[in-house]
Amino acid sequence: MPDDGLDFGLVVAGYGRHYVVETPEGRRVICHPRGKKSECVVGDRLRWQPAGDEGVIEHVEPRRNLMFRQDEWRTKAFAANLDQILVMVAAKPVFSESQLARALIAAESAGIAAHVLLNKADLPEIEDARARLAPYTRMGYEVVEVALKARTDEARATLSPMLEGKATLVLGPSGAGKSTLINLLAPDAKAQVGEISQALNSGKHTTTSTQWYWLDAQRTTGLIDSPGFQEFGLRQVTAQDLPTLMPDLREHLPGCRFYNCTHQHEPGCGVRAAVERGEISESRYRIYGEIREELSQTRW
Ligand SMILES: Nc1nc2c(ncn2[C@@H]2O[C@H](COP(=O)(O)OP(=O)(O)O)[C@@H](O)[C@H]2O)c(=O)[nH]1
Ligand SMILES: [Mg+2]
Ligand SMILES: [Zn+2]
């Protein structure tokens, strides 16, 4: 135990103001924040001390990074200290490119590496999905194709080295295969959830919240499941910064005549010239315009 007498912990789940904190030995304790300052999210490293069977969070360690989501009311942090983000889509159901783009922008804005995981490669619709993802490959994102259900061993062999030793946040729309992924790589996932619901003495919230899973007994590889394709909190992004968070647009910014070009109507715009040459896809340019419009509205 360190000098100050406080224990170390990792937040593996949180429900309201109850957090499930894992000790370095792998024991799980329900902890409560002492005050506003000790509020935390899944992935937080913290210091706590016992209070009866439970614990009190005294201090949250500085974060390497933080991801936000948007609910009806406000922007809220939901995961911290991530090594990478896997944005999961599938051949079917048809995915929203706008949601994919937003997830990637949120990752760029948080300074977290992101990759795209395309599932259900066994279905004929894979051709369309692949074509829609071609611009993302071109702008430098790694797009990894798997068939989690149809070609399980192959999928495991592809994913294991990508995930090993890292904390990976998995995001994606309902139906993409997130649960299939967790169950494939963390065969004891149900037990891990069960342990947490038991600790919290209620199972009712456990399927809708962010949750940390260990993929190995040594607890070095973490997968963080955050169900649903949230509206990402992009409010910390300014309209001026937005194109710098979109690699295909970013590449052409030096071609703009005006330093404060909005890439919408100015003459001598490198971005629009690239759209005309087909180097930026029409859909990416449209998504840029939509997000820019939203950011301008919320800001003023
Ligand atoms: N054809 C096909 N179906 C899959 C594959 N992987 C998952 N599914 C199916 O897709 C559906 C949604 O998967 P699920 O893991 O629940 O998605 P989630 O909503 O993202 O958690 C389920 O019926 C899975 O059996 C795959 O590789 N190929
Ligand atoms: Mg699911
Ligand atoms: Zn421009």
Side-chain angles (χ1 to χ4, degrees):
M1 193 179 287
D3 292 349
D4 58 11
L6 297 174
D7 290 305
F8 288 100
L10 167 71
V11 179
V12 294
Y15 307 98
R17 283 173 61 82
H18 305 275
Y19 299 98
V20 182
V21 171
E22 186 178 277
T23 69
E25 304 76 40
R27 197 162 54 85
R28 291 183 170 194
V29 186
I30 305 288
C31 287
H32 306 276
R34 170 146 336 260
K36 268 240 164 264
K37 273 207 172 124
S38 58
E39 280 183 5
C40 49
V41 298
V42 169
D44 263 328
R45 308 269 166 182
L46 50 75
R47 310 293 293 277
W48 64 282
Q49 61 178 323
D53 288 345
E54 306 196 336
V56 177
I57 299 163
E58 297 290 348
H59 168 72
V60 181
E61 305 280 1
R63 294 164 175 146
R64 274 194 289 143
N65 53 50
L66 191 58
M67 279 291 285
F68 295 90
R69 78 168 69 177
Q70 187 69 44
D71 70 14
E72 218 177 322
W73 313 108
R74 62 198 177 121
T75 303
K76 203 173 176 299
F78 71 100
N81 301 319
L82 304 164
D83 292 310
Q84 60 184 0
I85 295 179
L86 216 47
V87 185
M88 200 169 171
V89 294
K92 214 172 125 184
V94 173
F95 63 88
S96 153
E97 188 187 342
S98 171
Q99 282 181 323
L100 168 68
R102 282 161 201 261
L104 295 173
I105 290 165
E108 291 273 346
S109 157
I112 305 167
H115 313 290
V116 180
L117 182 60
L118 174 58
N119 186 28
K120 311 195 192 182
D122 54 302
L123 300 179
E125 290 87 348
I126 194 69
E127 297 281 353
D128 278 340
R130 214 177 268 155
R132 293 178 70 212
L133 289 173
Y136 292 83
T137 310
R138 239 181 294 135
M139 73 183 83
Y141 288 107
E142 190 182 357
V143 177
V144 178
E145 245 180 63
V146 290
L148 290 173
K149 206 111 204 186
R151 300 199 289 267
T152 298
D153 289 342
E154 190 186 308
R156 191 184 285 114
T158 304
L159 291 168
S160 294
M162 279 181 70
L163 301 176
E164 198 185 334
K166 294 184 170 151
T168 304
L169 173 67
V170 181
L171 297 171
S174 176
K178 293 179 300 301
S179 299
T180 307
L181 176 75
I182 305 275
N183 291 323
L184 172 67
L185 299 175
D188 67 339
K190 285 209 175 68
Q192 293 191 41
V193 172
E195 222 172 88
I196 285 176
S197 359
Q198 199 184 8
L200 288 167
N201 204 8
S202 88
K204 51 180 187 279
H205 301 302
T206 49
T207 53
T208 53
S209 295
T210 305
Q211 159 123 28
W212 181 295
Y213 296 94
W214 289 117
L215 303 190
D216 56 337
Q218 298 74 34
R219 291 182 292 121
T220 60
T221 303
L223 214 52
I224 299 107
D225 181 26
S226 192
F229 221 143
Q230 301 79 29
E231 279 301 310
F232 291 97
L234 293 181
R235 286 192 193 176
Q236 73 279 16
V237 174
T238 64
Q240 191 66 28
D241 281 346
L242 179 62
T244 69
L245 303 173
M246 302 177 75
D248 47 349
L249 272 69
R250 182 167 63 214
E251 189 190 332
H252 296 284
L253 298 178
C256 295
R257 185 179 309 162
F258 301 109
Y259 82 96
N260 57 352
C261 187
T262 67
H263 323 298
Q264 293 186 307
H265 37 64
E266 293 87 344
C269 173
V271 169
R272 280 192 302 127
V275 175
E276 269 152 41
R277 290 195 305 270
E279 291 168 23
I280 294 173
S281 78
E282 296 279 352
S283 63
R284 287 282 294 178
Y285 183 66
R286 179 178 45 76
I287 290 166
Y288 163 71
E290 286 166 6
I291 299 174
R292 192 192 150 82
E293 175 70 22
E294 285 170 27
L295 295 177
S296 320
Q297 279 173 8
T298 54
R299 215 149 274 277
W300 306 112

